[in-house]
Amino acid sequence: MEGSLTARDRVGIQDFVLLDAYTSETAFMDNLRKRFNENLIYTYIGTLLVSVNPYKELGIYTKKQMDIYMGVNFFELPPHIFALADNVYRTMISETNNHFILISGESGAGKTEASKKVLQFYAVCCPSTRLLDNVRDRLLLSNPVLEAFGNAKTLKNDNSSRFGKYMDIQFDHQGAAVGGHILSYLLEKSRVVHQNHGERNFHIFYQLVEGGEDELLRWLGLERNCQKYRYLIQGECAKVSSINDKSDWKTVQKALTIIEFSEKDIEHLFAIIASVLHLGNVHFEASAHGYATLNSSAELLGIPSNILQEGLTHRKIEAKAEEVLSPFTAEHAKYARDALAKAIYGRTFTWLVNKINESLVNKDSTRKTVIGLLDIYGFEVFDVNSFEQFCINFCNEKLQQLFIQLTLKSEQEEYEMEGIEWEPVPYFNNKIICDLVEEKHRGIISILDEECLRPGEATDFTFLEKLEEKMCGHPHFVTHKLADQKTRKTLERGDFRLLHYAGEVTYSVVGFIDKNNDLLYRNIKEVRSFATVCILSWPDITEKIIDINSKIVATQFKSSLAGLTEILMTKDPWYVRCLKPNHCKQPDRFDDVMVRHQVKYLGLMEHLRVRRAGFAYRRRYEIFLKRYKALCPDTWPHWKGTPAEGVQRLIKHLGYKPDEYKMGRTKIFIRHPRTLFATEDAFEICKHELGKAPATSDKRRLPFPEGVVMILIETCWRGLQARRERERRAWAVKVIKKFIKGFMNRNQPVSMDNSDYLAFVRQSYLTRLKDNLPKSVLDKTIWLTPPPIMQEASVLLRKLHTRLLVRKYVRGISAQQKLQIKALTSDIFKGRKENYPQSVCQPFADTRISEQDINIKVLQLICPEGIKYSVPVIKYDRNGFRPRFRQLIFTQAAAYLVEEAKIKQRVNYSSLKGVSVSDLSDNFLILHVTCDDTKQKVGDCLLYLTRMHYTYTELLSFCSVRFDIQPGKEGFVDFKSSSESMVYRAKNGHLMVVSPHNPMHTT
């Protein structure tokens, strides 16, 4: 930093702490503008980094730039995000403590890009192994996934984060990144169902529609046209020139794969996204009585129209032991639809963050140090400010309070550590504003909660009336009713105004109650249970949606913010303040009014005043002496004493006055920037004199002719490089010789000649074996051929691995009964049924149909008997052998054949006289039923099912294949083998079942 002070008139000062007029906002702005015009977007305030978005590529984030800033003193090079990231990293390693970087600023100021650059720097500078590279890739690729699902185009920014994010990066004792964890805050769910003009929904919707494969879109029932979906066109800007949705789609898919999302997870994820789009296209009309009626198809949702009609047009009210359906108006139905869409998306986003955290988890229990990255929304002031802006600005108030506390604390601790008297710093304490919002029983959030939960009709305006009643006379709160005559002209009747630390903000109360309640009606859960496709019936996502009703949004956000504050208080802080130079996103344009406003609400002047309260400049004695020792004959070229004594001698020679500096235990503190500037200017002159011809009267002159100094330096440097290269080559020759000799003696007993080579062979084989181990006990083919030296070890390892697989398999069996049924199935079918070997690897399950997939009416009828086992089957009619899809359900008393909401047949176990199967590779099963009443048209059941062996074992019976079509009549099933499997009715009236095997006939 000191090296650039000579160019300060042209490029400004790199550290605002060195401003003489540090209390002048004009001087602050002039320095910021001067640097911006020279494409110098970074400036320090002590260790705080100020960043101005240039809106253009500057070429300052290359690998070469990372190498330059790696391991360099913080103030040695010009300000940069890499310098801050490197200093945080090196401080963490040397002091083994935890740190966090708080990145803040308004939308479009470059917060997300700054956090990306920090992650990219750590990906390059950290030690690298295959395992660590996997962690690094997941950390980096978590960004595009979270951006796709949590970012959107707004009026201010084409890639605006619509949620707050805190990421912990975990490092081991060697400084390698070994894991991470992400916390998300206040996702803007309202964007799912509504966007202002010129804005878009979350990126993932457009990426799916524009970039999704044709087969995927067909499966999801989507068209490649954003204009077809109501939730995507409200902002009237589905396509944006600066966003490539197709390319971003490929990036997201690649990222999901690397983060280890399974194919099933990915299918479910995009099915949920598609379901939200389909929900947006469900529309309603008012009936003659004014009630809502569903006026669109629900087939794409996989839900019968009548079920969706009831769920979205009626509210279920519980009255004692009864349930009453209350019809909605069309407007209420739209609200219910939008509430469901928001809840599904919000739950999906939470699940997504949790899945990413699972892939980043570090399973090593040893102590880790942490660097946190907090990328959170900055202070927001719009023409109309609502509930979201209220929460965001409250968050910034809390962070500003924490910011001042930690800054003052760190300053005071440094003074005490150095033995210098602390001078109290006057500053604005915004605790009064934080209490106004969050105080228990009296704060705005408490009053809002009371209004949301109280019985009776609560509206936004009754909430405003309560605020006026409780907050009357507060110096930071005003409404139209409480304001004086002049202020009243600037307020609407539904507004209230808060005087934040950054300035006044007027909020409209419209929507506060609804957004804080975030209601979702309970009967929506029943709608989900009727879904026949996974789009709405995915339990992982929607299982707990109904519980959202019990959580008030503002209180939940306040609690999560308190938790975040506790996390940050345990770590050492570093700050990046991002500024937006203009509204138009144009390069080389600096809007003074806009930047001045951001400087104010980011508290930069406040921070500068705290930092400059005592001394403008402080450096360790060693660093100060090393740079300026040439200015004093006593300290040049080598000082023999302690650094502190050398600095004392140096400043005495320079003529520092007693009130201009203080000597601490390890640092020198200089009060005024002008003192440092004069020292730096003297050093610039001195540097030129050092290379001139020698003069015996001046000890600072070098004893060599002009120009020889540079030649000597170059000679020494080249000599050092040559010696290092010679050592490297000698080491390489030695290693190569040793390995050649080892290879030649590889079959000999272990000796000095081949020990290193054989150790390499062992390590190489074990490394390759680790990545190619069998995954199943039945997999007998995969095992790497070992080298001769590893033959015996390979046999032992194979036995151990087989035992491990068996152990895992046995532990995976939840009950002993499952293993018993496996054994019983083997006794029945082994050697008797051709396709039995293929069924062995299939795990046994308690049931093949979950209760959620059984119709609720059927459940009500058969649940008292206790469901033991259920499986999907195809039943063939006794007349004509037509196939019918059914559910076969075994209870404690009987077997049921079910079609949707109807029970088609009930077979008591007492009337079941036998069960038949063939010995071929088909999956047919016949239930022989006894019927005493010849008038009833009940006979044997011919069923096809994929899990035939286990279903048969459940019944524990074996009979012939002859069965009754109706009482008194007989029918036949013929089984034979062929190259293809098929089922058809033969000319003789028999059902012909053809199985792929050697020819054989059974009746």
Side-chain angles (χ1 to χ4, degrees), residues 79 124 129 179 231 252 272 302 310 312 376 427 445 500 518 524 571 626 647 722 738 792 855 859 862 901-902 916 999:
V124 172
T129 65
Y231 282 164
V252 170
I272 290 292
E310 181 181 302
L312 295 182
I376 204 155
Y427 69 96
I445 291 178
H500 290 280
D518 199 17
I524 295 295
K571 297 178 172 63
K626 183 179 179 181
V647 171
K738 185 180 290 187
E792 186 178 352
N855 190 279
L859 281 176
I862 67 176
K902 298 179 182 178
S916 299

Side-chain angles (χ1 to χ4, degrees), residues 568-749:
L568 299 183
M569 286 295 286
T570 63
K571 297 178 172 63
D572 293 341
W574 302 77
Y575 304 98
V576 179
R577 296 294 201 230
C578 299
L579 301 177
K580 189 175 180 179
N582 59 76
H583 280 299
C584 309
K585 308 172 195 172
Q586 292 181 355
D588 304 318
R589 180 178 172 184
F590 191 90
D591 185 333
D592 273 56
V593 175
M594 180 178 180
V595 176
R596 191 183 299 269
H597 177 65
Q598 294 173 78
V599 167
K600 181 181 179 183
Y601 74 63
L602 285 172
L604 297 183
M605 294 300 297
E606 193 87 350
H607 183 76
L608 177 56
R609 280 196 293 272
V610 171
R611 196 69 172 75
R612 271 293 303 270
F615 298 88
Y617 176 89
R618 61 205 73 179
R619 285 292 182 275
R620 294 187 66 84
Y621 292 135
E622 296 87 345
I623 297 172
F624 189 84
L625 182 62
K626 183 179 179 181
R627 181 169 184 82
Y628 298 117
K629 64 181 179 179
L631 296 176
C632 175
D634 295 337
T635 56
W636 177 261
H638 302 293
W639 172 251
K640 304 296 184 182
T642 65
E645 292 170 348
V647 171
Q648 188 71 55
R649 185 73 59 87
L650 173 60
I651 60 177
K652 183 178 180 181
H653 177 79
L654 293 174
Y656 281 17
K657 297 178 181 178
D659 63 337
E660 290 182 337
Y661 73 96
K662 289 282 185 183
M663 298 289 286
R665 293 190 177 94
T666 62
K667 295 178 182 178
I668 178 173
F669 290 72
I670 298 176
R671 189 177 297 277
H672 305 298
R674 60 178 179 270
T675 307
L676 179 65
F677 295 159
T679 305
E680 187 63 32
D681 291 341
F683 178 63
E684 282 296 316
I685 297 171
C686 181
K687 280 196 299 186
H688 296 289
E689 295 178 354
L690 291 177
K692 292 183 178 179
T696 55
S697 61
D698 192 345
K699 291 171 62 179
R700 291 175 298 167
R701 303 283 176 85
L702 290 174
F704 300 105
E706 187 174 1
V708 173
V709 174
M710 296 303 298
I711 296 174
L712 287 173
I713 293 173
E714 185 178 0
T715 302
C716 291
W717 175 246
R718 288 180 182 275
L720 176 63
Q721 285 186 312
R723 286 190 294 274
R724 286 177 177 174
E725 180 65 16
R726 183 188 65 187
E727 291 173 1
R728 191 181 69 83
R729 292 189 179 190
W731 173 84
V733 168
K734 186 178 178 181
V735 170
I736 293 170
K737 280 183 178 180
K738 185 180 290 187
F739 268 69
I740 291 174
K741 200 169 185 178
F743 177 77
M744 294 171 66
N745 295 279
R746 64 187 181 280
N747 295 323
Q748 302 299 322

Side-chain angles (χ1 to χ4, degrees), residues 876 878 881 888 912-918 922-929 939-945 948 952 955 957-965 971-975 991 993 1002-1003:
Y876 285 86
R878 295 182 296 279
F881 297 114
L888 177 61
L912 186 65
K913 65 180 182 180
V915 183
S916 299
V917 297
S918 80
D922 60 88
N923 285 307
F924 276 85
L925 182 145
I926 302 168
L927 301 179
H928 298 289
V929 181
D940 295 349
C941 298
L942 179 59
L943 308 174
Y944 172 83
L945 60 168
M948 186 273 297
Y952 188 96
L955 294 176
S957 182
F958 187 81
C959 303
S960 67
V961 295
R962 179 169 294 179
F963 70 100
D964 295 335
I965 295 178
F972 291 88
V973 180
D974 292 333
F975 295 89
L991 181 67
V993 179
T1002 304
T1003 61

Side-chain angles (χ1 to χ4, degrees), residues 113-246:
E113 287 302 312
S115 64
K116 285 183 189 176
K117 300 307 177 191
V118 173
L119 280 175
Q120 289 167 6
F121 181 82
Y122 290 148
V124 172
C125 77
C126 293
S128 178
T129 65
R130 184 173 179 180
L131 175 62
L132 298 179
D133 286 349
N134 287 338
V135 174
R136 178 200 65 191
D137 291 342
R138 292 173 194 170
L139 282 169
L140 288 175
L141 290 173
S142 64
N143 260 327
V145 174
L146 291 174
E147 283 183 19
F149 286 84
N151 288 25
K153 180 198 180 305
T154 64
L155 293 173
K156 293 187 174 184
N157 184 6
D158 289 347
N159 187 33
S160 176
S161 297
R162 306 317 299 161
F163 70 105
K165 180 180 72 174
Y166 175 75
M167 173 187 281
D168 265 341
I169 310 169
Q170 299 169 348
F171 298 86
D172 63 13
H173 66 282
Q174 294 179 331
V178 294
H181 189 268
I182 297 170
L183 296 173
S184 63
Y185 299 93
L186 199 67
L187 177 72
E188 188 187 23
K189 293 187 292 184
S190 60
R191 182 168 294 273
V192 175
V193 300
H194 175 74
Q195 307 93 45
N196 295 325
H197 182 76
E199 297 190 350
R200 297 206 314 175
N201 209 322
F202 293 104
H203 294 322
I204 189 60
F205 292 108
Y206 305 93
Q207 292 172 6
L208 175 60
V209 173
E210 295 292 339
E213 296 76 11
D214 292 337
E215 184 179 349
L216 175 63
L217 294 183
R218 278 196 299 273
W219 178 66
L220 297 174
L222 298 176
E223 297 181 47
R224 199 179 297 282
N225 184 358
C226 293
Q227 302 301 320
K228 297 283 187 181
Y229 304 102
R230 177 181 167 273
Y231 282 164
L232 302 186
I233 59 174
Q234 296 176 61
E236 298 181 358
C237 62
K239 291 188 180 293
V240 183
S241 59
S242 63
I243 299 176
N244 188 336
D245 291 315
K246 290 183 180 179

